[in-house]
């Protein structure tokens, strides 16, 4: 199921504060949550109108997101970058170096609010998988990650993890519409939740590695299936 048109769901920001900064933050969150479709084109004029601003702040925000790698500029607007198999392999190679270590560092530092947030995020993921709701599953994953990331003491590590996680937006949109992938993701979250509950750094590191491996495999499977469908249609 494709996400709804992002421009139609935007509400005016009003006037206070740095408009470009606020547009950037809001669009980045929408991108991370998979609320911008893979083939949806973002035009600075439409974005400005939707947020109730002039064109300049909207354009600055879109160009910044492009420079950061979250969007790609075309002659007809800005789009979510598409990733091929090698791009995804490289992305997950970097994530595998960062996220297991970050999660392990948080394992012994989880406080009561973080544990409650993990419980809430896991419950949300279970409801999403039961309802086969891709958008809710993406949101639950974001909530779960935010819960344990709040206990990572190294801010540079936090920023690095978030940067590459956000770049996985293409993977999430491509895979989490599949109920089978949703169930796999849920199993991974349940294993991580149990490891966090025990405060077991090694188990957390191991479960995070397994979670990333499963996510990468899901992408490659979805990619292969899409190519097979294209070949059947075109007869090549």
């Amino acid at each position: 199921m494709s996400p709804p048109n992002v421009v139609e769901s935007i509400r005016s920001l009003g006037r206070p504060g740095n408009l470009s900064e606020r547009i950037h933050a809001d669009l980045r969150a929408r991108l991370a949550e998979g609320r911008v479709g893979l083939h949806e084109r973002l035009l600075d004029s439409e974005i400005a109108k939707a947020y109730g601003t002039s064109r300049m702040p909207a354009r600055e925000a879109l160009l910044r997101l492009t420079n950061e790698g979250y969007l790609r500029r075309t002659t007809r607007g800005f789009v979510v970058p598409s990733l091929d198999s090698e791009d995804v392999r490289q992305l997950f190679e970097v994530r595998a170096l960062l996220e297991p270590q970050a999660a392990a560092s948080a394992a012994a530092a989880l406080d009561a609010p973080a544990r409650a947030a993990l419980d809430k995020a896991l419950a949300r993921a279970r409801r999403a998988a039961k309802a086969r709701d891709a958008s809710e599953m993406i949101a639950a994953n974001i909530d779960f990650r935010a819960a344990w990331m709040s206990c990572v003491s190294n801010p540079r590590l936090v920023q690095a993890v978030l940067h590459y996680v956000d770049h996985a937006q293409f993977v999430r949109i491509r895979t989490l519409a599949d109920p089978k992938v949703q169930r796999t993701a849920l199993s991974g979250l349940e294993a991580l939740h149990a490891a966090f509950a025990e405060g077991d750094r090694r188990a957390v590191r191991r479960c995070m590695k397994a979670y990333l491996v499963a996510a990468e495999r899901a992408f490659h499977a979805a990619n292969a299936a899409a190519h097979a469908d294209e070949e059947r249609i075109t007869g090549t």
Side-chain angles (χ1 to χ4, degrees), residues 18-80:
N18 186 316
L19 293 177
S20 176
E21 189 73 30
R22 293 170 67 191
I23 293 171
H24 171 273
D26 188 59
L27 284 178
R28 179 171 170 176
R30 291 171 184 270
L31 286 161
E33 294 165 9
R35 289 191 280 161
V36 181
L38 293 179
H39 304 293
E40 184 174 355
R41 295 189 180 274
L42 304 181
L43 303 177
D44 53 10
S45 57
E46 292 181 357
I47 293 294
K49 183 177 179 180
Y51 281 111
T53 73
S54 65
R55 190 172 178 178
M56 185 59 69
R59 187 166 185 79
E60 288 175 354
L62 290 167
L63 288 172
R64 180 178 169 188
L65 288 166
T66 301
N67 290 335
E68 293 168 345
Y70 300 114
L71 292 174
R72 179 171 62 86
R73 188 177 181 181
T74 75
T75 56
R76 297 174 55 202
F78 298 82
V79 297
V80 174

Short mmCIF file of all heavy atoms in Angstrom, two decimals, residues 18-80:
data_model
loop_
_atom_site.label_atom_id
_atom_site.label_comp_id
_atom_site.label_asym_id
_atom_site.label_seq_id
_atom_site.Cartn_x
_atom_site.Cartn_y
_atom_site.Cartn_z
N ASN A 18 12.39 29.49 13.01
CA ASN A 18 13.08 29.33 11.73
C ASN A 18 12.27 28.39 10.85
O ASN A 18 12.24 27.18 11.08
CB ASN A 18 14.48 28.79 11.98
CG ASN A 18 15.31 28.73 10.72
OD1 ASN A 18 14.84 28.30 9.67
ND2 ASN A 18 16.56 29.14 10.82
N LEU A 19 11.63 28.94 9.83
CA LEU A 19 10.72 28.15 9.01
C LEU A 19 11.44 27.06 8.24
O LEU A 19 10.96 25.93 8.15
CB LEU A 19 9.95 29.06 8.06
CG LEU A 19 8.97 30.04 8.73
CD1 LEU A 19 8.34 30.93 7.67
CD2 LEU A 19 7.90 29.28 9.48
N SER A 20 12.60 27.38 7.67
CA SER A 20 13.35 26.38 6.93
C SER A 20 13.74 25.20 7.81
O SER A 20 13.63 24.04 7.42
CB SER A 20 14.61 27.02 6.32
OG SER A 20 15.39 26.05 5.66
N GLU A 21 14.19 25.52 9.02
CA GLU A 21 14.59 24.47 9.97
C GLU A 21 13.40 23.58 10.34
O GLU A 21 13.52 22.36 10.42
CB GLU A 21 15.17 25.12 11.23
CG GLU A 21 15.81 24.14 12.20
CD GLU A 21 17.14 23.62 11.70
OE1 GLU A 21 17.84 24.34 10.97
OE2 GLU A 21 17.48 22.47 12.04
N ARG A 22 12.25 24.20 10.54
CA ARG A 22 11.06 23.44 10.95
C ARG A 22 10.53 22.59 9.80
O ARG A 22 10.08 21.47 10.00
CB ARG A 22 10.00 24.41 11.47
CG ARG A 22 10.42 25.09 12.77
CD ARG A 22 9.48 26.22 13.13
NE ARG A 22 8.16 25.73 13.47
CZ ARG A 22 7.10 26.51 13.62
NH1 ARG A 22 7.21 27.81 13.44
NH2 ARG A 22 5.94 25.99 13.95
N ILE A 23 10.57 23.13 8.58
CA ILE A 23 10.15 22.35 7.41
C ILE A 23 11.09 21.15 7.24
O ILE A 23 10.66 20.03 6.99
CB ILE A 23 10.13 23.21 6.14
CG1 ILE A 23 9.04 24.27 6.24
CG2 ILE A 23 9.92 22.34 4.90
CD1 ILE A 23 9.09 25.31 5.13
N HIS A 24 12.39 21.40 7.38
CA HIS A 24 13.39 20.34 7.26
C HIS A 24 13.11 19.23 8.27
O HIS A 24 13.10 18.04 7.92
CB HIS A 24 14.79 20.92 7.47
CG HIS A 24 15.87 19.89 7.58
ND1 HIS A 24 16.20 19.29 8.79
CD2 HIS A 24 16.69 19.34 6.65
CE1 HIS A 24 17.17 18.42 8.59
NE2 HIS A 24 17.49 18.43 7.31
N ALA A 25 12.89 19.60 9.53
CA ALA A 25 12.66 18.60 10.58
C ALA A 25 11.38 17.80 10.33
O ALA A 25 11.36 16.57 10.49
CB ALA A 25 12.59 19.29 11.94
N ASP A 26 10.33 18.49 9.89
CA ASP A 26 9.06 17.81 9.66
C ASP A 26 9.16 16.86 8.46
O ASP A 26 8.70 15.72 8.53
CB ASP A 26 7.96 18.83 9.43
CG ASP A 26 6.58 18.19 9.37
OD1 ASP A 26 6.18 17.54 10.35
OD2 ASP A 26 5.91 18.30 8.32
N LEU A 27 9.77 17.33 7.37
CA LEU A 27 9.91 16.47 6.19
C LEU A 27 10.84 15.29 6.47
O LEU A 27 10.59 14.18 6.01
CB LEU A 27 10.44 17.28 5.01
CG LEU A 27 9.44 18.20 4.32
CD1 LEU A 27 10.13 18.98 3.20
CD2 LEU A 27 8.26 17.42 3.75
N ARG A 28 11.89 15.51 7.24
CA ARG A 28 12.80 14.40 7.56
C ARG A 28 12.05 13.33 8.36
O ARG A 28 12.24 12.14 8.12
CB ARG A 28 14.01 14.92 8.35
CG ARG A 28 14.96 13.80 8.74
CD ARG A 28 16.26 14.30 9.32
NE ARG A 28 17.02 13.20 9.88
CZ ARG A 28 18.23 13.32 10.39
NH1 ARG A 28 18.84 14.50 10.39
NH2 ARG A 28 18.86 12.27 10.90
N ALA A 29 11.21 13.77 9.30
CA ALA A 29 10.43 12.80 10.07
C ALA A 29 9.47 12.03 9.15
O ALA A 29 9.31 10.81 9.28
CB ALA A 29 9.65 13.51 11.17
N ARG A 30 8.84 12.72 8.23
CA ARG A 30 7.93 12.06 7.29
C ARG A 30 8.67 11.06 6.40
O ARG A 30 8.16 9.98 6.11
CB ARG A 30 7.21 13.11 6.43
CG ARG A 30 6.21 13.97 7.20
CD ARG A 30 5.70 15.12 6.35
NE ARG A 30 4.83 15.99 7.13
CZ ARG A 30 3.51 15.83 7.25
NH1 ARG A 30 2.91 14.85 6.61
NH2 ARG A 30 2.78 16.64 7.99
N LEU A 31 9.87 11.41 5.99
CA LEU A 31 10.68 10.51 5.18
C LEU A 31 11.05 9.26 5.98
O LEU A 31 10.95 8.13 5.49
CB LEU A 31 11.94 11.23 4.70
CG LEU A 31 11.74 12.26 3.59
CD1 LEU A 31 12.94 13.22 3.52
CD2 LEU A 31 11.56 11.56 2.25
N ALA A 32 11.47 9.46 7.23
CA ALA A 32 11.87 8.33 8.07
C ALA A 32 10.71 7.38 8.31
O ALA A 32 10.89 6.17 8.43
CB ALA A 32 12.42 8.85 9.40
N GLU A 33 9.51 7.93 8.40
CA GLU A 33 8.32 7.13 8.68
C GLU A 33 7.71 6.53 7.43
O GLU A 33 6.67 5.87 7.50
CB GLU A 33 7.29 8.00 9.41
CG GLU A 33 7.74 8.43 10.80
CD GLU A 33 6.91 9.56 11.38
OE1 GLU A 33 5.87 9.90 10.76
OE2 GLU A 33 7.30 10.10 12.42
N GLY A 34 8.34 6.74 6.28
CA GLY A 34 7.82 6.16 5.05
C GLY A 34 6.57 6.84 4.54
O GLY A 34 5.80 6.26 3.76
N ARG A 35 6.35 8.09 4.91
CA ARG A 35 5.14 8.80 4.50
C ARG A 35 5.32 9.58 3.20
O ARG A 35 4.43 10.33 2.80
CB ARG A 35 4.67 9.72 5.63
CG ARG A 35 4.09 8.95 6.81
CD ARG A 35 3.39 9.89 7.77
NE ARG A 35 4.30 10.58 8.64
CZ ARG A 35 4.01 11.70 9.29
NH1 ARG A 35 2.82 12.27 9.13
NH2 ARG A 35 4.90 12.26 10.10
N VAL A 36 6.48 9.41 2.56
CA VAL A 36 6.70 9.98 1.24
C VAL A 36 6.88 8.80 0.28
O VAL A 36 7.78 7.98 0.47
CB VAL A 36 7.94 10.89 1.20
CG1 VAL A 36 8.12 11.47 -0.20
CG2 VAL A 36 7.81 12.01 2.23
N GLY A 37 6.02 8.69 -0.71
CA GLY A 37 6.06 7.56 -1.63
C GLY A 37 7.33 7.52 -2.47
O GLY A 37 7.96 8.56 -2.71
N LEU A 38 7.69 6.33 -2.92
CA LEU A 38 8.93 6.16 -3.70
C LEU A 38 8.90 6.95 -5.00
O LEU A 38 9.95 7.34 -5.51
CB LEU A 38 9.15 4.67 -3.99
CG LEU A 38 9.45 3.79 -2.78
CD1 LEU A 38 9.62 2.35 -3.21
CD2 LEU A 38 10.71 4.29 -2.05
N HIS A 39 7.73 7.16 -5.56
CA HIS A 39 7.63 7.87 -6.85
C HIS A 39 6.96 9.23 -6.69
O HIS A 39 6.61 9.87 -7.69
CB HIS A 39 6.87 7.01 -7.85
CG HIS A 39 7.45 5.65 -8.04
ND1 HIS A 39 8.68 5.46 -8.63
CD2 HIS A 39 7.00 4.42 -7.69
CE1 HIS A 39 8.95 4.16 -8.65
NE2 HIS A 39 7.95 3.51 -8.10
N GLU A 40 6.81 9.68 -5.46
CA GLU A 40 6.18 10.98 -5.22
C GLU A 40 7.19 12.10 -5.43
O GLU A 40 8.32 12.03 -4.95
CB GLU A 40 5.63 11.03 -3.79
CG GLU A 40 4.87 12.30 -3.47
CD GLU A 40 4.22 12.26 -2.10
OE1 GLU A 40 4.29 11.20 -1.44
OE2 GLU A 40 3.66 13.29 -1.69
N ARG A 41 6.77 13.13 -6.15
CA ARG A 41 7.66 14.26 -6.41
C ARG A 41 7.28 15.44 -5.52
O ARG A 41 6.11 15.83 -5.45
CB ARG A 41 7.57 14.67 -7.90
CG ARG A 41 8.09 13.58 -8.82
CD ARG A 41 8.23 14.03 -10.25
NE ARG A 41 8.74 12.93 -11.06
CZ ARG A 41 10.03 12.66 -11.20
NH1 ARG A 41 10.93 13.41 -10.61
NH2 ARG A 41 10.41 11.64 -11.94
N LEU A 42 8.27 15.98 -4.85
CA LEU A 42 8.07 17.13 -3.97
C LEU A 42 8.52 18.39 -4.70
O LEU A 42 9.69 18.50 -5.10
CB LEU A 42 8.87 16.95 -2.68
CG LEU A 42 8.60 15.68 -1.88
CD1 LEU A 42 9.45 15.67 -0.61
CD2 LEU A 42 7.12 15.55 -1.54
N LEU A 43 7.60 19.32 -4.89
CA LEU A 43 7.90 20.59 -5.56
C LEU A 43 7.97 21.69 -4.52
O LEU A 43 7.10 21.77 -3.63
CB LEU A 43 6.82 20.90 -6.59
CG LEU A 43 6.60 19.83 -7.68
CD1 LEU A 43 5.45 20.24 -8.58
CD2 LEU A 43 7.86 19.62 -8.49
N ASP A 44 8.96 22.55 -4.61
CA ASP A 44 9.12 23.58 -3.59
C ASP A 44 7.91 24.49 -3.49
O ASP A 44 7.51 24.91 -2.40
CB ASP A 44 10.41 24.38 -3.80
CG ASP A 44 10.53 24.95 -5.20
OD1 ASP A 44 9.56 24.90 -5.97
OD2 ASP A 44 11.63 25.46 -5.53
N SER A 45 7.26 24.78 -4.63
CA SER A 45 6.08 25.65 -4.61
C SER A 45 4.92 24.99 -3.86
O SER A 45 4.22 25.65 -3.08
CB SER A 45 5.66 25.98 -6.04
OG SER A 45 5.40 24.80 -6.78
N GLU A 46 4.73 23.69 -4.07
CA GLU A 46 3.65 22.97 -3.38
C GLU A 46 3.95 22.81 -1.90
O GLU A 46 3.05 22.92 -1.05
CB GLU A 46 3.43 21.62 -4.04
CG GLU A 46 2.88 21.69 -5.45
CD GLU A 46 2.65 20.31 -6.05
OE1 GLU A 46 2.97 19.31 -5.37
OE2 GLU A 46 2.15 20.24 -7.19
N ILE A 47 5.22 22.53 -1.57
CA ILE A 47 5.61 22.39 -0.17
C ILE A 47 5.42 23.72 0.56
O ILE A 47 4.89 23.77 1.68
CB ILE A 47 7.08 21.93 -0.08
CG1 ILE A 47 7.24 20.51 -0.63
CG2 ILE A 47 7.58 22.01 1.36
CD1 ILE A 47 6.53 19.44 0.17
N ALA A 48 5.82 24.82 -0.08
CA ALA A 48 5.66 26.14 0.53
C ALA A 48 4.19 26.44 0.79
O ALA A 48 3.82 26.92 1.87
CB ALA A 48 6.28 27.20 -0.38
N LYS A 49 3.34 26.16 -0.17
CA LYS A 49 1.92 26.41 -0.02
C LYS A 49 1.33 25.57 1.10
O LYS A 49 0.52 26.05 1.91
CB LYS A 49 1.19 26.11 -1.33
CG LYS A 49 -0.30 26.40 -1.29
CD LYS A 49 -0.94 26.14 -2.66
CE LYS A 49 -2.44 26.41 -2.61
NZ LYS A 49 -3.07 26.15 -3.94
N ALA A 50 1.74 24.29 1.17
CA ALA A 50 1.21 23.39 2.19
C ALA A 50 1.59 23.85 3.59
O ALA A 50 0.79 23.76 4.53
CB ALA A 50 1.71 21.97 1.94
N TYR A 51 2.83 24.35 3.75
CA TYR A 51 3.29 24.79 5.07
C TYR A 51 2.89 26.23 5.38
O TYR A 51 3.11 26.71 6.49
CB TYR A 51 4.81 24.66 5.18
CG TYR A 51 5.29 23.26 5.43
CD1 TYR A 51 5.99 22.55 4.46
CD2 TYR A 51 5.07 22.62 6.65
CE1 TYR A 51 6.45 21.26 4.69
CE2 TYR A 51 5.51 21.34 6.89
CZ TYR A 51 6.20 20.66 5.91
OH TYR A 51 6.64 19.38 6.14
N GLY A 52 2.34 26.92 4.38
CA GLY A 52 1.93 28.30 4.61
C GLY A 52 3.10 29.26 4.69
O GLY A 52 3.09 30.20 5.48
N THR A 53 4.14 29.01 3.88
CA THR A 53 5.33 29.85 3.89
C THR A 53 5.62 30.36 2.48
O THR A 53 4.96 29.97 1.52
CB THR A 53 6.57 29.06 4.37
OG1 THR A 53 6.98 28.15 3.34
CG2 THR A 53 6.26 28.29 5.64
N SER A 54 6.65 31.19 2.37
CA SER A 54 7.13 31.58 1.05
C SER A 54 7.92 30.41 0.46
O SER A 54 8.22 29.43 1.13
CB SER A 54 8.01 32.83 1.15
OG SER A 54 9.19 32.53 1.88
N ARG A 55 8.30 30.55 -0.79
CA ARG A 55 8.98 29.45 -1.48
C ARG A 55 10.41 29.23 -0.98
O ARG A 55 10.90 28.10 -0.96
CB ARG A 55 9.00 29.77 -2.98
CG ARG A 55 9.47 28.62 -3.86
CD ARG A 55 9.25 28.98 -5.32
NE ARG A 55 9.73 27.94 -6.21
CZ ARG A 55 9.61 28.01 -7.53
NH1 ARG A 55 9.02 29.07 -8.08
NH2 ARG A 55 10.07 27.03 -8.29
N MET A 56 11.08 30.30 -0.54
CA MET A 56 12.49 30.19 -0.18
C MET A 56 12.75 29.23 0.98
O MET A 56 13.63 28.37 0.89
CB MET A 56 13.07 31.58 0.14
CG MET A 56 14.56 31.55 0.42
SD MET A 56 15.53 30.89 -0.98
CE MET A 56 15.31 32.21 -2.18
N PRO A 57 12.04 29.33 2.12
CA PRO A 57 12.30 28.37 3.21
C PRO A 57 12.06 26.93 2.80
O PRO A 57 12.79 26.02 3.21
CB PRO A 57 11.32 28.80 4.31
CG PRO A 57 10.96 30.19 4.00
CD PRO A 57 11.02 30.32 2.51
N ALA A 58 11.03 26.70 1.99
CA ALA A 58 10.73 25.35 1.53
C ALA A 58 11.86 24.83 0.66
O ALA A 58 12.30 23.67 0.80
CB ALA A 58 9.42 25.33 0.76
N ARG A 59 12.35 25.67 -0.23
CA ARG A 59 13.44 25.25 -1.13
C ARG A 59 14.72 24.98 -0.33
O ARG A 59 15.45 24.02 -0.61
CB ARG A 59 13.68 26.32 -2.19
CG ARG A 59 14.70 25.88 -3.26
CD ARG A 59 14.65 26.78 -4.46
NE ARG A 59 15.53 26.31 -5.52
CZ ARG A 59 15.23 25.32 -6.35
NH1 ARG A 59 14.07 24.69 -6.26
NH2 ARG A 59 16.08 24.94 -7.29
N GLU A 60 15.02 25.83 0.65
CA GLU A 60 16.20 25.62 1.48
C GLU A 60 16.12 24.27 2.20
O GLU A 60 17.12 23.54 2.28
CB GLU A 60 16.33 26.75 2.50
CG GLU A 60 16.75 28.08 1.90
CD GLU A 60 16.76 29.19 2.94
OE1 GLU A 60 16.32 28.93 4.09
OE2 GLU A 60 17.19 30.31 2.61
N ALA A 61 14.94 23.94 2.71
CA ALA A 61 14.78 22.68 3.43
C ALA A 61 14.95 21.49 2.49
O ALA A 61 15.62 20.50 2.83
CB ALA A 61 13.40 22.63 4.08
N LEU A 62 14.38 21.58 1.30
CA LEU A 62 14.49 20.49 0.33
C LEU A 62 15.94 20.31 -0.14
O LEU A 62 16.41 19.17 -0.28
CB LEU A 62 13.58 20.76 -0.87
CG LEU A 62 12.07 20.66 -0.59
CD1 LEU A 62 11.28 21.26 -1.74
CD2 LEU A 62 11.66 19.21 -0.37
N LEU A 63 16.64 21.41 -0.36
CA LEU A 63 18.04 21.32 -0.78
C LEU A 63 18.91 20.75 0.33
O LEU A 63 19.84 19.97 0.07
CB LEU A 63 18.56 22.70 -1.21
CG LEU A 63 18.01 23.22 -2.53
CD1 LEU A 63 18.45 24.67 -2.75
CD2 LEU A 63 18.46 22.34 -3.70
N ARG A 64 18.61 21.11 1.56
CA ARG A 64 19.37 20.56 2.69
C ARG A 64 19.15 19.05 2.80
O ARG A 64 20.10 18.29 3.00
CB ARG A 64 18.95 21.26 3.98
CG ARG A 64 19.70 20.76 5.21
CD ARG A 64 19.28 21.51 6.44
NE ARG A 64 19.78 20.87 7.64
CZ ARG A 64 19.44 21.23 8.87
NH1 ARG A 64 18.61 22.25 9.06
NH2 ARG A 64 19.92 20.59 9.92
N LEU A 65 17.91 18.61 2.65
CA LEU A 65 17.61 17.18 2.69
C LEU A 65 18.31 16.45 1.54
O LEU A 65 18.74 15.31 1.69
CB LEU A 65 16.10 16.96 2.63
CG LEU A 65 15.33 17.33 3.89
CD1 LEU A 65 13.83 17.41 3.61
CD2 LEU A 65 15.60 16.33 5.01
N THR A 66 18.44 17.13 0.40
CA THR A 66 19.16 16.55 -0.73
C THR A 66 20.63 16.41 -0.42
O THR A 66 21.25 15.36 -0.67
CB THR A 66 18.96 17.42 -1.99
OG1 THR A 66 17.56 17.51 -2.28
CG2 THR A 66 19.69 16.83 -3.18
N ASN A 67 21.23 17.46 0.16
CA ASN A 67 22.65 17.42 0.51
C ASN A 67 22.94 16.34 1.55
O ASN A 67 24.03 15.75 1.57
CB ASN A 67 23.11 18.78 1.04
CG ASN A 67 23.15 19.84 -0.04
OD1 ASN A 67 23.29 19.54 -1.22
ND2 ASN A 67 23.02 21.10 0.36
N GLU A 68 21.97 16.07 2.41
CA GLU A 68 22.13 15.05 3.45
C GLU A 68 21.84 13.64 2.94
O GLU A 68 22.03 12.67 3.67
CB GLU A 68 21.20 15.37 4.62
CG GLU A 68 21.58 16.64 5.37
CD GLU A 68 20.53 17.12 6.35
OE1 GLU A 68 19.37 16.64 6.26
OE2 GLU A 68 20.84 17.97 7.20
N GLY A 69 21.35 13.53 1.70
CA GLY A 69 21.13 12.23 1.10
C GLY A 69 19.73 11.67 1.27
O GLY A 69 19.46 10.54 0.85
N TYR A 70 18.81 12.45 1.83
CA TYR A 70 17.46 11.95 2.07
C TYR A 70 16.56 12.11 0.85
O TYR A 70 15.56 11.42 0.71
CB TYR A 70 16.82 12.66 3.26
CG TYR A 70 17.59 12.47 4.55
CD1 TYR A 70 18.21 13.55 5.16
CD2 TYR A 70 17.71 11.22 5.13
CE1 TYR A 70 18.94 13.39 6.33
CE2 TYR A 70 18.43 11.05 6.29
CZ TYR A 70 19.04 12.13 6.89
OH TYR A 70 19.77 11.94 8.04
N LEU A 71 16.91 13.05 -0.03
CA LEU A 71 16.16 13.27 -1.27
C LEU A 71 17.14 13.34 -2.43
O LEU A 71 18.34 13.55 -2.25
CB LEU A 71 15.36 14.58 -1.20
CG LEU A 71 14.18 14.64 -0.22
CD1 LEU A 71 13.62 16.06 -0.18
CD2 LEU A 71 13.10 13.64 -0.60
N ARG A 72 16.60 13.19 -3.64
CA ARG A 72 17.38 13.35 -4.85
C ARG A 72 16.70 14.42 -5.71
O ARG A 72 15.49 14.39 -5.88
CB ARG A 72 17.46 12.03 -5.62
CG ARG A 72 18.26 12.11 -6.92
CD ARG A 72 18.48 10.73 -7.51
NE ARG A 72 17.22 10.07 -7.85
CZ ARG A 72 16.57 10.23 -9.01
NH1 ARG A 72 17.05 11.07 -9.92
NH2 ARG A 72 15.45 9.59 -9.25
N ARG A 73 17.51 15.35 -6.23
CA ARG A 73 16.96 16.44 -7.04
C ARG A 73 16.83 15.99 -8.49
O ARG A 73 17.75 15.37 -9.04
CB ARG A 73 17.88 17.65 -6.95
CG ARG A 73 17.33 18.92 -7.58
CD ARG A 73 18.30 20.05 -7.35
NE ARG A 73 17.82 21.30 -7.92
CZ ARG A 73 18.49 22.46 -7.86
NH1 ARG A 73 19.68 22.49 -7.27
NH2 ARG A 73 17.98 23.55 -8.40
N THR A 74 15.69 16.29 -9.10
CA THR A 74 15.46 15.99 -10.51
C THR A 74 14.98 17.26 -11.19
O THR A 74 14.77 18.29 -10.55
CB THR A 74 14.41 14.88 -10.69
OG1 THR A 74 13.10 15.42 -10.43
CG2 THR A 74 14.66 13.70 -9.75
N THR A 75 14.79 17.17 -12.50
CA THR A 75 14.29 18.33 -13.24
C THR A 75 12.82 18.59 -12.94
O THR A 75 12.29 19.65 -13.28
CB THR A 75 14.46 18.13 -14.75
OG1 THR A 75 13.81 16.91 -15.14
CG2 THR A 75 15.94 18.04 -15.11
N ARG A 76 12.17 17.64 -12.28
CA ARG A 76 10.74 17.77 -11.98
C ARG A 76 10.46 17.68 -10.49
O ARG A 76 9.43 17.20 -10.06
CB ARG A 76 9.97 16.67 -12.72
CG ARG A 76 10.06 16.78 -14.24
CD ARG A 76 9.39 15.60 -14.90
NE ARG A 76 8.01 15.43 -14.47
CZ ARG A 76 7.33 14.29 -14.55
NH1 ARG A 76 7.93 13.21 -15.03
NH2 ARG A 76 6.08 14.23 -14.16
N GLY A 77 11.39 18.17 -9.68
CA GLY A 77 11.18 18.17 -8.25
C GLY A 77 12.17 17.28 -7.52
O GLY A 77 13.20 16.88 -8.05
N PHE A 78 11.82 16.96 -6.28
CA PHE A 78 12.69 16.16 -5.41
C PHE A 78 12.00 14.83 -5.12
O PHE A 78 10.78 14.80 -4.89
CB PHE A 78 12.96 16.91 -4.10
CG PHE A 78 13.67 18.22 -4.28
CD1 PHE A 78 12.97 19.36 -4.64
CD2 PHE A 78 15.04 18.31 -4.10
CE1 PHE A 78 13.62 20.58 -4.81
CE2 PHE A 78 15.70 19.52 -4.27
CZ PHE A 78 14.99 20.66 -4.63
N VAL A 79 12.76 13.74 -5.10
CA VAL A 79 12.19 12.41 -4.88
C VAL A 79 13.04 11.65 -3.88
O VAL A 79 14.20 11.99 -3.61
CB VAL A 79 12.13 11.61 -6.21
CG1 VAL A 79 11.21 12.29 -7.21
CG2 VAL A 79 13.52 11.41 -6.79
N VAL A 80 12.45 10.58 -3.32
CA VAL A 80 13.19 9.66 -2.45
C VAL A 80 14.22 8.92 -3.32
O VAL A 80 13.87 8.39 -4.36
CB VAL A 80 12.24 8.65 -1.79
CG1 VAL A 80 13.02 7.60 -1.00
CG2 VAL A 80 11.25 9.38 -0.87
#
